[in-house]
Amino acid sequence: LVATCKDEHTVDVLRQQKSFDGSPRKARKSTHFDAVFGPSSEQAEVFQEVKGLVQSAVDGYSITIFTYGQTGAGKTHTMYGGQGDERGVAPRTIEAVFERLGCLDTQRFRTSVRASLVELYRNDLRDLLAPSTSSRRAARCHTAPPSLQTFQSLTSLRTPHLDVRKDLVTGESFVENLEDREVAGPEELLELMREGAHRRHTASTLLNVDSSRSHMILTISLDVLDCEKNTTTSGKIRLCDLAGAERLKKSGASDETMNEAIEINRALSALGDVIECAAQAKGPVPYRNHKLTQLLSDSLGGSAKTIMFVNISPARSEIEETLNTLAYASRVRDVTNDRASRSVRAT
């Protein structure tokens, strides 16, 4: 292993180099973060970094949680995980949301939770909770007269165009025409999450047998009505699982997967430009260069409370990608968002 967890705040990368006289030597590079989790860390430990932000969302703040890193490093496992103790950040966040809302006085407060799930595949936004076009078309073909089948098949292909817009009041970004479903409890929301994740684009590469080929964003919107004060507090949690950066020679991507990898790297490059500019706080930030950065504009340099989990591989064969990822994460840590503000309005 070349990347190790030195302590709870430091990652060490050990690299073999040659001295000026040609003799081998070891160079150690240390990078510091707010928290570092090693291979033996439990999912519950990781979630502790997020737990306090759930209360902030209930209190009316916008929250963004990212996972970023090279392909095959475990981003989706960190965000979604598995069953039981292997549950990731997203399912634990969902459970914590309803736990916090359940602690409110039901005589005084009324609550509402809504969810949407979108993927950015190549440079196209796709609603993962919208009824599938193929199932709608099949259902109509079974019931329609032959003369109407062609017309109805064509109309069923017309799905609402999704685009990134800016809320003129709050300044927050959102996806226009995205389906927003109200949910009554954690199980219903977890089922929506699983339903959408099943529709996400994935493929097998040399680096990852189940490689995500898109960026996926789950948004949980909360409204808390205070019947005594006649006010509504609105919060939002955005869980963003970014596709992994990959080198085509290593991943073996070709044809369709190669085109997907090119678009993934292009989106991450645009995100890197935004992070670099926001960290330096000089000049306008190029949010409009890509749909991904437009959608996440209030999360990087905006008004949201933001946390990013960065996944790296400890393997010697991945040292270049690991160093690049750590440098990327260091720049993220230098980004200062605007002062977060609560969303509370009279009702």
Side-chain angles (χ1 to χ4, degrees), residues 26 41 52 65 67 75 133 135 153 188 202 247 273 278 297 344:
K26 294 181 179 180
S41 297
I65 303 168
T67 53
K75 300 178 301 300
T133 302
S135 63
S153 294
E188 187 177 353
T202 60
R247 296 191 180 187
D273 292 341
S297 60
V344 182

Side-chain angles (χ1 to χ4, degrees), residues 71 121 200-214 246 251 253-254 256-258 260-261 264:
T71 186
Y121 175 66
R200 186 183 189 182
H201 283 83
T202 60
S204 178
T205 69
L206 295 179
L207 297 176
N208 190 353
V209 295
D210 192 25
S211 174
S212 301
R213 312 311 289 171
S214 66
E246 64 181 72
S251 68
S254 61
E256 191 74 10
T257 54
M258 180 181 71
E260 292 167 347
I264 289 170

Side-chain angles (χ1 to χ4, degrees), residues 18 26 40 80 110 132 145 188 200 240 243 266 341-342:
K18 287 186 178 181
K26 294 181 179 180
S40 61
Y80 295 102
R110 300 289 183 271
S132 65
E188 187 177 353
R200 186 183 189 182
C240 182
R266 182 174 293 151
S341 57
R342 297 177 66 206

